[in-house]
Amino acid sequence: MSKSFDVCIRGDGVVGRSLALLLARERLRVALVTRPDSASADQPGQARTDVRAYALNSASRQVLESLRVWPEAPFATPVREMRVWGDDGGRLDFSADSVAQEALAWIVDVPALEQQLIQAVRYQPQIETVQAPVKAALTVICEGRQSRSRDEFGAHWTVKPYPQKAIAARLEADAPHGGVARQWFSGGDILALLPLSGAAGNSVALVWSVSVERAAALEKLAPEEFCAALQAVCGEEVGSLRLTSERASWPLALSRADHWVGPGWALAGDAAHTVHPLSGQGLNLGLADAACLASVLAQREYWRELGDEKLLRRYERARQADVSAMGAVTDGLHGLFAQPDGRWQALRNWGMKGFARSALLKRWVARQAAGL
Ligand SMILES: Cc1cc2nc3c(=O)[nH]c(=O)nc-3n(C[C@H](O)[C@H](O)[C@H](O)COP(=O)(O)OP(=O)(O)OC[C@H]3O[C@@H](n4cnc5c(N)ncnc54)[C@H](O)[C@@H]3O)c2cc1C
């Protein structure tokens, strides 16, 4: 007799694995569909080689801690302060102290987080890893932005591509980062250096959003030339930088599925929506999706099926405002800083300076960044 499952999760990224663990905790039987080529990542000690580090907020941390998969220091570095520079003297500073928090966010090593999730899934008897979709009362698609199953369920995907790519890499500075996340907006480019390797460390994770052409040119540069191009933007703010990893790049887009649920299916994470990484919020949104869906399923009336569309709509309604707001904010910021005209430059830097003087507004933004 074939096995029966309550939920089939297609996609084994951070969102898919976290959701599987959340549902297993509710005693649901979960089939987790992994890609055949990601099978090797399930072998102990075989970490994937993603050079990225994610800025995760306190809501994401709570979810991951509750699943016992939060990476310990030095793989999660608290951000005590954020410094943002405009392209004409504008500057904003935010501190964790201003919102009475231990940290504004944590910068989490992606391979370390993935390994924690792989181990947790392996030891959870309610979850079975499978290589192809299986029949279940509910199918949740967590296949990321390039999901194929999305079309199968008839969800229409709208994409607004940005003419940019994000280059990610790891670097070492000759001075400690001091737990400060730094970001520069300059002529449409956005450069972020995020503190890594613990509170007293001197490693940083780079996310540099530049035009597609510039990304291609930057990726071809020798490591020393690449660092020189980088320091032309950030100066000596973090000391001298040395590249310690490969460079990898991602095309960027604001995208969204027109609906996220239907009878017997739901979308979550990047399969449902993507935003520009300038605010470091994509995975925070995806983990909030997972937590929300798990809670809606756990609180269902005893007579409702897991795949009941009315039930799933509660999840869609609960998440849409949050995701729309984040999409609008990141898109608006990107658009504002992409304007090459000098008048726009003056306006945005004037705005930043005005903003810097408003303690109330700054506190509000710091609370949003911290996911409070
Ligand atoms: C440069 C960059 C920096 C970022 N920084 C941040 C940050 O600081 N903070 C933040 O919150 N977010 C950040 N993000 C966003 C974050 O990367 C995504 O939001 C997050 O990875 C989404 O997770 P996911 O599990 O939904 O999708 P994915 O990470 O795309 O995972 C999908 C998984 O599904 C698998 N899959 C696909 N198709 C199938 C199939 N048919 N069958 C089985 N499996 C399948 C894939 O192999 C993959 O493992 C960043 C993004 C970029 C590009």
Side-chain angles (χ1 to χ4, degrees):
M1 207 173 74
S2 66
K3 257 195 179 165
S4 70
F5 292 98
D6 298 308
V7 184
C8 174
I9 298 175
R10 300 191 190 184
D12 61 341
V14 175
V15 174
R17 285 186 185 268
S18 302
L19 179 63
L21 291 165
L22 287 165
L23 298 181
R25 206 166 60 180
E26 300 297 331
R27 312 298 306 154
L28 294 173
R29 287 151 305 164
V30 180
L32 178 68
V33 187
T34 65
R35 270 237 261 251
D37 56 8
S38 67
S40 64
D42 273 13
Q43 301 310 312
Q46 297 228 348
R48 294 180 213 193
T49 51
D50 196 323
V51 294
R52 287 176 298 177
Y54 291 141
L56 296 184
N57 61 27
S58 63
S60 294
R61 179 180 173 153
Q62 265 173 31
V63 172
L64 297 171
E65 270 186 343
S66 77
L67 297 172
R68 299 177 189 274
V69 295
W70 179 253
E72 292 306 328
F75 298 108
T77 303
V79 176
R80 301 278 320 144
E81 203 184 318
M82 264 165 68
R83 293 184 197 154
V84 184
W85 286 265
D87 44 4
D88 189 25
R91 176 166 163 181
L92 288 172
D93 292 354
F94 304 96
S95 77
D97 290 342
S98 71
V99 283
Q101 292 295 309
E102 175 199 347
L104 285 170
W106 286 264
I107 308 302
V108 174
D109 179 82
V110 173
L113 173 61
E114 287 178 344
Q115 274 305 305
Q116 292 277 80
L117 284 161
I118 286 169
Q119 295 299 335
V121 163
R122 180 174 301 123
Y123 294 113
Q124 171 49 266
Q126 294 287 111
I127 305 175
E128 190 168 319
T129 307
V130 294
Q131 296 288 308
V134 295
K135 205 164 169 289
L138 171 64
T139 293
V140 188
I141 299 152
C142 302
E143 294 174 350
R145 62 193 278 180
Q146 288 180 321
S147 165
R148 294 213 191 114
S149 306
R150 206 170 35 214
D151 293 345
E152 200 182 301
F153 288 93
H156 181 66
W157 187 238
T158 306
V159 187
K160 174 184 171 186
Y162 293 115
Q164 282 193 325
K165 277 182 115 180
I167 302 177
R170 305 283 177 101
L171 296 118
E172 214 170 77
D174 63 2
H177 50 60
V180 182
R182 298 167 169 93
Q183 195 169 35
W184 290 263
F185 287 83
S186 69
D189 295 353
I190 306 162
L191 167 65
L193 291 176
L194 309 171
L196 270 182
S197 63
N202 60 345
S203 299
V204 290
L206 164 77
V207 186
W208 199 359
S209 304
V210 294
S211 71
V212 175
E213 300 75 33
R214 182 146 196 243
L218 284 169
E219 282 190 274
K220 281 194 207 124
L221 290 179
E224 309 74 47
E225 292 170 329
F226 180 79
C227 289
L230 195 55
Q231 302 227 236
V233 181
C234 66
E236 287 296 313
E237 172 66 24
V238 273
S240 280
L241 291 164
R242 187 174 64 83
L243 201 57
T244 54
S245 76
E246 296 298 314
R247 283 154 276 179
S249 63
W250 283 260
L252 303 178
L254 174 70
S255 23
R256 191 167 168 146
D258 60 348
H259 51 289
W260 303 353
V261 300
W265 65 271
L267 305 176
D270 274 20
H273 45 74
T274 70
V275 294
H276 194 291
L278 71 88
S279 58
Q281 289 297 331
L283 182 59
N284 287 308
L285 292 174
L287 286 170
D289 291 350
C292 176
L293 180 57
S295 147
V296 164
L297 296 180
Q299 287 169 30
R300 75 188 183 280
E301 297 85 353
Y302 70 91
W303 45 267
R304 264 195 210 280
E305 299 283 339
L306 287 164
D308 183 326
E309 193 179 353
K310 274 199 179 148
L311 173 72
L312 299 172
R313 289 231 171 276
R314 292 179 197 162
Y315 153 68
E316 188 183 53
R317 275 197 302 275
R319 292 297 303 135
Q320 269 184 343
D322 195 14
V323 171
S324 299
M326 193 52 73
V329 167
T330 52
D331 191 49
L333 270 175
H334 176 265
L336 180 64
F337 279 91
Q339 301 294 336
D341 191 307
R343 281 168 300 182
W344 279 98
Q345 189 185 42
L347 181 69
R348 61 197 173 227
N349 285 281
W350 171 79
M352 277 179 99
K353 285 172 195 158
F355 192 100
R357 285 192 289 270
S358 167
L360 208 67
L361 257 178
K362 275 176 60 182
R363 192 163 174 273
W364 181 82
V365 170
R367 286 184 61 82
Q368 298 304 307
L372 297 172

